[in-house]
C-alpha cells in the first residue's frame, strides 16, 4: 500500500466529516457508531466533487491510501483507497470499528473466521461479498478478519472511516494472518 496525504479537502468531504464528527462524539458502542456512520456515508458515494482528482489517483504497484481527514483527537479518520484491477490486501483485521463504502467501481471482500485446531489454528472462509458503487458495510472487532481486492476490470475507489487516527498509526491493520485457509 502507498499512502498520501491530501493537499485539500472538498466542500462535500468537509460536510461529511462534520456529520461523522457529530456521530462519533456521541460516544456510542463501536458497532452502533459504525452503523450510524455508514448511514451518513452512503448518500455521498458516487457524488461528483467528493474527492479531488489527486485523491482518485492509483499506484500501478499496489493499492493506494489517500488520507482525507484525521480528527485531531484521534477518534476517527477518513481515507480513500484506490484499487487498480487485481490489487488486494493481505488477510487482516483492524484496530477499530470501520465503515467502507464504494465510491466508484466494485470492491470484493473475502471474510474469514479463526478456527482453533488440534494442531494449529486455521482460517475458514465464511463469505464472499462484492460491493458496488453506493454500497456500504461496517464492522467492529472482533470478528473482522478479511481480505479486500479489486476483481473488476476498472479502477475502484472506496471510502473507509476508521475509529482511529490512521495518519498517526500509518495503517488500520491490527494483525496480518498467514495461517492456513480451509
Amino acid at each position: 500500500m502507498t499512502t498520501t496525504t491530501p493537499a485539500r479537502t472538498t466542500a462535500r468531504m468537509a460536510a461529511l466529516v462534520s456529520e461523522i464528527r457529530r456521530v462519533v462524539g456521541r460516544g456510542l458502542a463501536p458497532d452502533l457508531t459504525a452503523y450510524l456512520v455508514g448511514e451518513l456515508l452512503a448518500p455521498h458515494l458516487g457524488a461528483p466533487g467528493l474527492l479531488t482528482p489527486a485523491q482518485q489517483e492509483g499506484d500501478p504497484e499496489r493499492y493506494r491510501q489517500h488520507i482525507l481527514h484525521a480528527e485531531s483527537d484521534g477518534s476517527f479518520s477518513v481515507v480513500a483507497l484506490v484499487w487498480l484491477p487485481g490489487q488486494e490486501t493481505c488477510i487482516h483485521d483492524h484496530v477499530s470499528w470501520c465503515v467502507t463504502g464504494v465510491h466508484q467501481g466494485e470492491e470484493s471482500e473475502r471474510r474469514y473466521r479463526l478456527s482453533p485446531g488440534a494442531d494449529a489454528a486455521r482460517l475458514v472462509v465464511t463469505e464472499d461479498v462484492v460491493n458496488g458503487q453506493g454500497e456500504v458495510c461496517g464492522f467492529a472487532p472482533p470478528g473482522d478478519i478479511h481480505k479486500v481486492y479489486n476483481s473488476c476490470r476498472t479502477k475502484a475507489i472506496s471510502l473507509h472511516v476508521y475509529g482511529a487516527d490512521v495518519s498517526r498509526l500509518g495503517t488500520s491493520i491490527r494483525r496480518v494472518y498467514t495461517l492456513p485457509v480451509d
Side-chain angles (χ1 to χ4, degrees):
M1 166 183 61
T2 56
T3 302
T4 60
T5 305
R8 68 179 187 89
T9 297
T10 67
R12 187 169 193 123
M13 181 57 65
L16 175 59
V17 165
S18 180
E19 293 170 9
I20 294 169
R21 183 178 294 124
R22 282 194 292 279
V23 168
V24 171
R26 293 172 63 186
L28 302 170
D31 56 343
L32 181 54
T33 299
Y35 175 80
L36 294 172
V37 168
E39 286 189 330
L40 296 174
L41 179 60
H44 295 277
L45 297 170
L50 182 62
L51 301 174
T52 67
Q55 294 164 344
Q56 299 176 60
E57 291 178 2
D59 180 323
E61 299 298 317
R62 58 194 60 86
Y63 71 96
R64 187 169 190 180
Q65 172 180 271
H66 296 276
I67 299 173
L68 307 175
H69 176 81
E71 193 70 355
S72 60
D73 66 1
S75 59
F76 73 93
S77 51
V78 183
V79 302
L81 295 183
V82 181
W83 312 83
L84 299 181
Q87 293 179 336
E88 63 186 20
T89 68
C90 55
I91 300 172
H92 64 281
D93 63 10
H94 293 272
V95 298
S96 69
W97 59 266
C98 176
V99 174
T100 66
V102 178
H103 181 62
Q104 175 183 319
E106 289 182 350
E107 183 178 87
S108 297
E109 176 187 19
R110 177 163 276 183
R111 298 175 183 168
Y112 303 86
R113 71 174 168 79
L114 190 58
S115 176
D119 298 326
R122 302 181 72 73
L123 291 173
V124 177
V125 176
T126 60
E127 187 175 18
D128 285 308
V129 178
V130 177
N131 291 306
Q133 183 178 324
E135 293 185 86
V136 173
C137 65
F139 54 80
D144 61 319
I145 303 170
H146 69 164
K147 172 183 180 174
V148 182
Y149 55 100
N150 178 356
S151 59
C152 64
R153 295 180 181 173
T154 61
K155 175 170 61 176
I157 302 173
S158 53
L159 294 181
H160 298 235
V161 183
Y162 299 106
D165 184 347
V166 173
S167 69
R168 184 177 52 80
L169 298 174
T171 182
S172 66
I173 295 173
R174 179 174 67 112
R175 183 179 328 152
V176 171
Y177 293 83
T178 57
L179 299 170
V181 176
D182 288 341

